[in-house]
Amino acid sequence: MCGIIGSPHKEAFDYLFEQNKERGNFAYGVVRFCINNNVKVIKDNNFNKEIEFEDDIVFYLGHLQSPTSTKRDFSPHTTHPFVHKGMYLAHNGVLSNFTKLKNKYGKYTDTINEVDSSIILPMIDKIGLKSTLEELEGTFGCWLYNSNSSELFVFRSGSTIYTDGKNISSKPIADWTLLEEGIIYRFNFTKQKYEEYDRFETKSGFFV
Amino acid sequence: MSKAIVPISGGIDSSVILAYAKTKHTQVFPLTFNYNQRHSKELKFAEMQAGKNYKVIDLPFIRDIATTSSLTNDEIDVAKTKDVLGDAQTVNYVPFRNQMMLSIACAYAESKGADTVYHGAALIDSQAGYWDGSIEFLQSFGNLVALNRKSKISILAPLINKTKREIILLGAKLGVDYSKTWTCYEGKDLACGYCTSCSSRIKGFLDAGIKDPLQYERNDIPWNE
């Protein structure tokens, strides 16, 4: 179980970080980006350490990780977010066709490792976002920040992402609603809210 | 003469596999496990599906050792889909249950001279985080069984790549009576509609365009009647 969170406000981000600790207390990854699109990534497994932020941040994104294998030690290499060619991605879920995808797309990059999530960005780079999401099987809830185009996306199939329109959280928060499956939402930084950007065919096998 | 062992739970997947196996083998031995599961109600439905050569094996010790599962520990609530989607392993997972059951089925196969044991895993199992329902598990278990020097037993999982929709349509074609199947982990009078097992069943029927004959506690399922 993992948690993904995001907010344009530090106070809200800190609250969501605390709320989602119960979903993942093994390691965390945080991305923050600034007005000049300077992106900073922090990965650690010390939850007691205060995360330092600058003042000109426009958005905070986080992933709280629960290990899927007890053999895995903390490693920045296998800790979210994954980074590839200016794109940053955190994933909550299990990709059931990871082995197949790795055989198909692994040859295109050396950034894919044993974590199923590591396949997603190289796939997006190769075949685009929508085609990638339609090829993934299993469960996924993700945020994706593309620093090349300064676009922030969230999408899900199976895995939960709750929102109040502006903030996101894997864990249900008060009266927040579930993002609809099969829709790619893009954050409108002017209006400070997520808007529908595109749709994809979801293979989720659950009626929630 | 081809013989097969078919572990059945009373749910959709194993009921469809049983119907399928009956078309492929001259003799089929349905097998059910009673491990004092929370939803022991499913045993009644397994019996309704079974037919000839039916056997129930009691595994009461599982409840004693598998204390982390909601299915074998009444103090743990059954996980609802909305709370656990995307989890690598939910509390509905029973530790190593599938290996135990498959091993017993293989032992039974040896004594019956059966060359095939069916495994009820479906695509949704991997999606729900069950490692013991994955293709990798099937391959690994098959490799283990292949070490047997005398009895050659194949472990087949014909539904492992199939969606619930595909399974339901296949079962309908094979004549499976879905009113005589049980899926819910809660095991109450009506199916809850919220547990991971119910929600995949509901989605499968919705996608297949068939109304599930089971009655649910929840009344917001958009059946096309």
Side-chain angles (χ1 to χ4, degrees):
Chain A
M1 176 155 54
C2 299
I4 66 170
I5 56 175
S7 176
H9 306 293
K10 182 164 187 319
E11 296 74 20
F13 179 83
D14 288 343
Y15 172 74
L16 296 173
F17 193 92
E18 283 301 316
Q19 289 294 311
N20 278 268
K21 270 184 182 174
E22 66 185 53
R23 294 185 62 90
N25 55 14
F26 170 71
Y28 64 84
V30 171
V31 166
R32 65 102 176 97
F33 48 91
C34 306
I35 294 163
N36 61 4
N37 205 23
N38 176 20
V39 183
K40 186 174 181 182
V41 177
I42 300 164
K43 296 182 181 184
D44 210 328
N45 62 349
N46 181 358
F47 280 79
N48 297 319
K49 193 163 73 182
E50 190 160 343
I51 305 171
E52 292 183 4
F53 295 107
E54 292 79 1
D55 292 331
D56 60 343
I57 291 169
V58 295
F59 219 96
Y60 306 82
L61 297 161
H63 180 278
L64 295 95
Q65 186 166 347
S66 173
T68 52
S69 165
T70 52
K71 289 179 185 170
R72 192 180 302 151
D73 296 323
F74 171 74
S75 159
H77 193 52
T78 55
T79 300
H80 300 241
F82 290 90
V83 184
H84 184 73
K85 295 186 179 177
M87 295 185 289
Y88 301 78
L89 176 132
H91 164 226
N92 170 37
V94 179
L95 300 182
S96 52
N97 62 339
F98 172 52
T99 304
K100 193 166 83 179
L101 295 173
K102 196 172 178 180
N103 291 335
K104 186 173 176 183
Y105 294 102
K107 61 190 172 193
Y108 296 117
T109 174
D110 57 4
T111 60
I112 301 167
N113 56 43
E114 69 268 32
V115 180
D116 55 357
S117 317
S118 68
I119 195 75
I120 302 175
L121 286 179
M123 282 182 67
I124 293 172
D125 179 42
K126 184 72 184 171
I127 62 173
L129 177 57
K130 180 175 175 169
S131 298
T132 296
L133 302 187
E134 292 186 340
E135 205 166 330
L136 300 181
E137 293 175 8
T139 53
F140 56 89
C142 304
W143 53 251
L144 163 69
Y145 180 61
N146 186 341
S147 65
N148 304 305
S149 59
S150 300
E151 290 177 300
L152 169 63
F153 301 101
V154 293
F155 42 83
R156 75 177 193 93
S157 177
S159 305
T160 56
I161 301 180
Y162 291 87
T163 187
D164 61 352
K166 184 194 286 189
N167 308 289
I168 58 164
S169 167
S170 295
K171 186 188 168 185
I173 304 290
D175 57 351
W176 291 19
T177 55
L178 261 179
L179 284 178
E180 196 171 323
E181 284 183 296
I183 296 181
I184 301 168
Y185 295 89
R186 182 171 62 178
F187 193 74
N188 184 323
F189 288 96
T190 305
K191 295 179 181 173
Q192 291 284 290
K193 66 175 186 179
Y194 288 98
E195 296 174 339
E196 182 175 333
Y197 171 76
D198 203 351
R199 287 179 178 248
F200 64 97
E201 189 182 337
T202 173
K203 295 188 179 71
S204 169
F206 299 96
F207 175 75
V208 181
Chain B
M1 189 170 174
S2 172
K3 297 178 187 175
I5 308 297
V6 185
I8 58 172
S9 64
I12 284 179
D13 300 340
S14 61
S15 298
V16 172
I17 287 179
L18 178 62
Y20 170 82
K22 285 177 177 174
T23 69
K24 297 288 178 189
H25 303 273
T26 50
Q27 208 171 4
V28 170
F29 297 89
L31 188 64
T32 294
F33 298 97
N34 176 11
Y35 55 102
N36 292 336
Q37 56 268 53
R38 178 193 291 260
H39 55 311
S40 58
K41 180 176 180 175
E42 68 178 0
L43 297 174
K44 189 178 81 182
F45 290 85
E47 188 177 0
M48 284 191 259
Q49 293 290 338
K52 288 193 294 185
N53 303 321
Y54 181 48
K55 187 175 185 63
V56 179
I57 294 179
D58 292 324
L59 304 174
F61 65 90
I62 290 185
R63 187 169 267 267
D64 290 334
I65 61 171
T67 55
T68 56
S69 172
S70 65
L71 305 192
T72 48
N73 184 343
D74 295 335
E75 292 177 6
I76 300 173
D77 291 337
V78 171
K80 291 182 170 58
T81 302
K82 70 179 180 62
D83 296 327
V84 297
L85 266 180
D87 288 7
Q89 200 147 279
T90 77
V91 293
N92 298 340
Y93 160 74
V94 182
F96 284 75
R97 179 196 61 184
N98 288 1
Q99 284 100 310
M100 289 189 256
M101 292 179 176
L102 276 174
S103 295
I104 291 166
C106 287
Y108 191 42
E110 275 209 50
S111 65
K112 288 292 179 187
D115 60 8
T116 304
V117 167
Y118 283 92
H119 175 34
L123 180 60
I124 196 72
D125 295 320
S126 291
Q127 294 181 340
Y130 294 110
W131 67 278
D132 51 1
S134 66
I135 288 174
E136 290 82 0
F137 170 84
L138 174 69
Q139 289 168 337
S140 299
F141 195 83
N143 290 339
L144 179 69
V145 172
L147 295 174
N148 189 325
R149 289 176 178 156
K150 190 175 178 188
S151 300
K152 294 301 174 193
I153 300 169
S154 299
I155 312 296
L156 300 185
L159 308 183
I160 203 158
N161 268 331
K162 292 197 186 304
T163 64
K164 199 64 102 181
R165 172 185 172 275
E166 292 171 320
I167 293 167
I168 287 168
L169 291 175
L170 173 63
K173 199 170 144 188
L174 291 168
V176 174
D177 182 352
Y178 290 122
S179 70
K180 293 177 179 167
T181 61
W182 183 261
T183 298
C184 182
Y185 286 148
E186 292 283 8
K188 297 176 185 170
D189 288 344
L190 301 181
C192 74
Y194 296 100
C195 69
T196 50
S197 196
C198 274
S199 73
S200 65
R201 175 179 173 126
I202 293 168
K203 182 73 162 55
F205 273 103
L206 287 172
D207 289 348
I210 300 172
K211 185 178 185 297
D212 190 346
L214 269 194
Q215 297 292 308
Y216 288 90
E217 285 178 0
R218 67 189 294 181
N219 54 15
D220 61 343
I221 304 168
W223 301 118
N224 276 326
E225 296 187 68

